[in-house]
Amino acid sequence: MHEVSIVARDPRRFETVIGRERTDVFVNTAALATELLAGRSIVNINSTAAGGGVAEMLHVLLGYVRGMAIDTRWVVIEGSPAFFELTKRIHNHLYGGSGDGGPLGEAEHHVYAETLQAEHDDLAAMLRPGDLVILHDPQTAGLAEHAKHLGCQVAWRCHVGIDEQNAQSEQGWTFLRPYLEPFVDHYVFTDPGFPPPWIPPERTTAIWPSIDPFSPKNQELSDETVEAILTHVGILAGRPGDTTFRRNDGSVARVERHCDVFRTGPPATPESLMVVQVSRWDVMKDMIGVMQAFADHVDGVSDVELVLAGPTVTAVADDPEGGQVLQSCWEAWRALPHAVRRRVQLVCLPMHDLDENAVIVNALQRHAAIVTQKSLAEGFGLTVAEAMLKRTPVVASAVGGIVEQVIDRETGLLVKDPTDLGEFGAALVRLLGDDELRSKLGAAARDRAVEVHLGDTHLQSWVEVMTALTS
Ligand code: UDP
């Protein structure tokens, strides 16, 4: 187990985005939280400090929580490849799939419990009775008993799920239930439809994650900087220039590294319209589906490029399937007819420096004419909120948390059946051919993202959970 450093952020910065009045409410909410905690700490525990939505969200939100002098910490558990293979299998089950098809039986309980048992001493050294422990996702669920035993209040925050349980998801829940039910005081889900029936609704809160308008992922970048960054990393054939951005800690840095790009021929020109999906290399994100829909249905539109971007595959510790999924994408890309293949780039983003990785994602989401999130299932889909905040119109599957974010034809386009490549392709073609619609959806998306996806609303919801836990 190791602790992740949290950089304190000043909540007053929000004033430029949400105005004075709303910022005052934000700051007052923090005061209420401090009062409720009365000297206790909030300890977040998850399984990775980098890559994916949970890490992204914790970096941001906890920074503001620290900035408001609330005592909060973040620790990351360690596990063997066998443990992460297993927890990925559980994760896939909660999304209604069977993952790698492996079992969830006695032997798996043994691997799971034994791995988490190894964290007990570290946990005991860190927690004090009364602390509020927030365990994230299946990887840490098995720590609830120990945290409870140490006298803490325990919340389990589940970021994944599906609205209608099926045989696979029930199997996943059956595995987790004995670790949760006797010990968890409160549950937090992204969507009220995600919890299984045995979780008491009166001890459950639905909370959307939030994004930070000032982080490297979302901070404003000029068109010149966007072009310079994408040119430097090897995605665009544009004008080289200044790749300066502001880090999370406030210091100034430059994008130095390059991306690994699979491409035939030269990079895209800045003038061509770019369709972008940024995701982990995960089957649920259906990168291959995006590529196939692009090949089969968008081919007639001239001057359009597709970029599928994800992290370097060795970089996300709790996501062992990344390499296989990237390999399948590469094989599908190789099988495309040359005329289509030369308009599709597969990009692995450098992960040595998370701020640098984030600002490349930022530049991609800003440069994109359309951001897609063609997930087959989705807990929330932070990439959607990120694009919306940047006024980039979104075409996304109507699944999980995406449905909460995108109001179809008002703040983006939703594709009802996530497996329907024709419907997805038609939405892309419609939007690519209509500049006015893209601007209209993008502007409405920005307003909506500012209204509901920023940290102040998020913190308000957590204060409600803290009230429930401390009362
Ligand atoms: N992301 C990133 N770098 C990458 C790929 C993804 O920073 O190379 C980020 C992406 O911008 C988003 C998060 O990872 O903030 C993914 O969150 P989302 O909720 O979309 O999906 P999850 O990975 O949690 O399933």
Side-chain angles (χ1 to χ4, degrees), residues 292-312:
Q292 213 54 57
F294 184 83
D296 295 348
H297 303 283
V298 188
D299 198 22
V301 185
S302 61
D303 240 5
V304 183
E305 304 271 342
L306 173 66
V307 169
L308 299 174
T312 317

Side-chain angles (χ1 to χ4, degrees), residues 52-53 56 217 278 280 285 310-311 349 357 361 378 381-383 386:
E56 174 75 21
K217 177 70 58 69
V278 180
R280 285 177 301 104
K285 308 293 181 180
L349 305 173
N357 172 280
V361 173
E378 190 60 77
L382 275 179
T383 50
E386 289 161 6

